[in-house]
Structure formats: structure tokens, C-alpha cells
Amino acid sequence: MPKLEKGILLYEGKAKKLFATTNPAEVIVYYKDDATAGNGAKKGTILNKGILNNKITGFLFEMLESSNIPTHHIRLLSEREALVKKVNIIPIEVVTRNIVAGSLSNKLLIPEGERLACPIVELYYKNDAAGDPPINYYHAKALNLATREQIDTMESYALRINEILSAFFAEKNLILVDFKLEFGIYNNEVILADEITPDTCRLWDSVTLEKMDKDRFRRDLGGVEDAYIEVCRRITN
Ligand code: UDP
């Protein structure tokens, strides 16, 4: 295998940087410790978050691959870096919910913690300036964000991923409350991209119901670093 060279910075997001490699079909993701909430209104750092999130995503994406979910993950390169397939990100965030929390609780005036009769899948337009508004099939089609078929694929992957991850987390004494996924196009196929971490999932301890995710940062609950360390330990052990 030729030596992998980190090329130019292609993109810097809120939590990650993307670097070119000598292979145009592959890029390197670098996970930062930076944390934001409320669409960038709250900013901070979570010590070693980048290391933990790289490890957690690598582990979960490999698990999903082995359950026949195609992902962009190729391999971990270092503590904070992973080699991934270069995709065109579909600008739609796919949120799946098992238990009422966060924006759903605020919107429907249902207290956090109520289990839903079946999972809900929601679509949000990935657009910071517009505050990531909720959208449906019609918006996606009319704005050329994705085809109906691509959305159907993303939703069915989201529901399968929900089943796989809910069962896996349950074994680790964690409840998967809700989570956000992003997908990309690679060789004309929809594949899972971005990350699955305590930044993008709500995870509650199944015994104490303690929050073990980014809500600790969003809501100033303290113990943010320890929660990420504990989630990583439970997942990878
Ligand atoms: N989420 C995310 N990025 C976003 C918005 C939401 O990763 O830009 C995740 C969030 O961590 C949670 C789920 O998606 O696991 C549902 O979030 P919600 O709509 O309740 O929004 P929030 O209350 O976090 O603003």
C-alpha cells in the first residue's frame, strides 16, 4: 500500500476537518474537540472529544458495514483521523426518534422521556443560515436536494440502523433516544457518511436515565468529558 499523504484542507466544519489524499476518491476526516450547540450560538471545547468520537464512529460504522449498511468508512488512521470515501453529501439531516426529547418535546409539548409507539423519522434541510429547518419530500424534490428514491433509501437505512444500534446500545446499558444521520452519494449509490457519536445521538443510561451525550454540554449539566469517555468505554468494551 503506498504511503498515505495528507493533502490540502478541503473543508472545515464545526467538529471536523476534511483533507485531500493523493487518491481523489478518498479523504481524511480529522476530528476536533470543538463543540457547538444551538446552531453555533453556544461554542466550547470538550477535551479529547475528537479522539473519542473518531474511535466511536469507526467502531459503529464497522459494525454497520458488517450488517450490510454501506458507509463511507474505510479505516482509522490515527487517534483523530479516519480514511473515508469521498462522497457528495446530501444536504438533508435524517433524525430518527424512539423517545420524545429535545425539539420534538418542545414542538408537541410532550415531556421528555415518553416512549413513542413506533420510531419517527424526520428530515431537516442542512442549512445553517436557515437554522436547519424541517422539510418533507416535496421540499427535497423542489429544491433538488434529493430524489424520492434517495429519500426512501435514507429512511429505510435510518430505520435499520435504529434497530441495529438500539439493540447494541441496550446491551451496553444505554438507551438510544434519538440520533441524526447524514448520507452521501458515492458511485451513484446512497451511503452512510458523517459520524455517529454522543454529538449526534441522545443516549441515556438505562438504569439511572442519566444523559450521556451532548445534551450535557447544551444544557450545562457538567460532566461532559466523563460522559463521552464512559460511552466510548461501554461501546468498545
Ligand atoms: N442533532 C444533530 N445535529 C443537529 C440537530 C440535531 O446531531 O444539527 C441530533 C441531536 O443530537 C439529537 C437528534 O439529532 O440526537 C434530535 O435532535 P433535536 O431535533 O431534538 O434537536 P435539538 O433539541 O438537539 O436542537
Side-chain angles (χ1 to χ4, degrees), residues 34-68:
D34 298 351
T36 61
N39 197 17
K42 181 179 165 86
K43 288 193 174 73
T45 56
I46 299 174
L47 187 67
N48 292 333
K49 175 171 81 85
I51 296 173
L52 298 161
N53 281 357
N54 186 34
K55 199 168 163 185
I56 292 168
T57 299
F59 185 95
L60 295 176
F61 275 41
E62 279 174 24
M63 195 177 83
L64 292 172
E65 281 280 354
S66 66
S67 303
N68 295 316

Side-chain angles (χ1 to χ4, degrees), residues 123-143:
L123 306 176
Y124 293 88
Y125 181 24
K126 225 173 113 62
N127 181 324
D128 280 342
D132 293 349
I135 56 165
N136 63 28
Y137 286 112
Y138 292 93
H139 300 86
K141 195 175 170 199
L143 302 175

Side-chain angles (χ1 to χ4, degrees), residues 4 15 22 32 36 39 41 58 66 73-74 82 118-119 125 141 150 152-154 156 184 194 210 212 223 228 233:
L4 193 73
T22 44
K32 306 190 285 182
T36 61
N39 197 17
S66 66
H73 181 76
I74 300 172
C118 64
Y125 181 24
K141 195 175 170 199
Q150 288 168 339
D152 287 346
T153 304
M154 293 193 289
S156 78
D194 195 45
E210 199 182 350
M212 308 282 285
Y228 279 66
R233 190 192 68 76

Side-chain angles (χ1 to χ4, degrees), residues 35-231:
T36 61
N39 197 17
K42 181 179 165 86
K43 288 193 174 73
T45 56
I46 299 174
L47 187 67
N48 292 333
K49 175 171 81 85
I51 296 173
L52 298 161
N53 281 357
N54 186 34
K55 199 168 163 185
I56 292 168
T57 299
F59 185 95
L60 295 176
F61 275 41
E62 279 174 24
M63 195 177 83
L64 292 172
E65 281 280 354
S66 66
S67 303
N68 295 316
I69 305 284
T71 80
H72 75 163
H73 181 76
I74 300 172
R75 65 177 189 275
L76 293 180
L77 294 173
S78 69
E79 269 193 330
R80 288 181 184 270
E81 292 168 325
L83 184 66
V84 303
K85 294 171 187 159
K86 187 171 196 292
V87 301
N88 283 321
I89 289 284
I90 297 169
I92 295 177
E93 299 189 344
V94 181
V95 168
T96 307
R97 303 174 181 277
N98 298 304
I99 290 180
V100 175
S103 70
L104 187 70
S105 164
N106 298 332
K107 213 164 17 186
L108 300 188
L109 303 179
I110 301 172
E112 276 200 335
E114 196 145 311
R115 184 164 278 279
L116 296 158
C118 64
I120 294 176
V121 181
E122 299 171 341
L123 306 176
Y124 293 88
Y125 181 24
K126 225 173 113 62
N127 181 324
D128 280 342
D132 293 349
I135 56 165
N136 63 28
Y137 286 112
Y138 292 93
H139 300 86
K141 195 175 170 199
L143 302 175
N144 285 319
L145 307 180
T147 65
R148 176 93 196 203
E149 197 190 356
Q150 288 168 339
I151 292 181
D152 287 346
T153 304
M154 293 193 289
E155 289 185 347
S156 78
Y157 281 146
L159 289 169
R160 270 170 61 197
I161 292 167
N162 185 40
E163 283 175 14
I164 297 164
L165 292 185
S166 293
F168 172 74
F169 284 128
E171 284 172 20
K172 310 290 180 179
N173 273 329
L174 290 168
I175 301 171
L176 181 59
V177 172
D178 57 30
F179 60 100
K180 183 264 297 180
L181 300 174
E182 292 184 26
F183 294 87
I185 307 286
Y186 183 81
N187 286 341
N188 291 318
E189 297 293 331
V190 173
I191 68 173
L192 181 65
D194 195 45
E195 62 178 272
I196 301 180
T197 65
D199 274 7
T200 63
C201 300
R202 285 196 170 92
L203 295 165
W204 295 351
D205 183 279
S206 36
V207 177
T208 62
L209 300 184
E210 199 182 350
K211 298 184 196 312
M212 308 282 285
D213 55 59
K214 197 167 147 189
D215 272 348
R216 302 204 73 81
F217 171 80
R218 293 188 188 103
R219 303 178 188 188
D220 295 319
L221 300 176
V224 188
E225 279 89 358
D226 286 346
Y228 279 66
I229 291 169
E230 178 59 13
V231 167

Side-chain angles (χ1 to χ4, degrees), residues 23-38:
N23 181 345
E26 297 176 356
V27 292
I28 293 171
V29 183
Y30 176 95
Y31 284 78
K32 306 190 285 182
D33 285 349
D34 298 351
T36 61

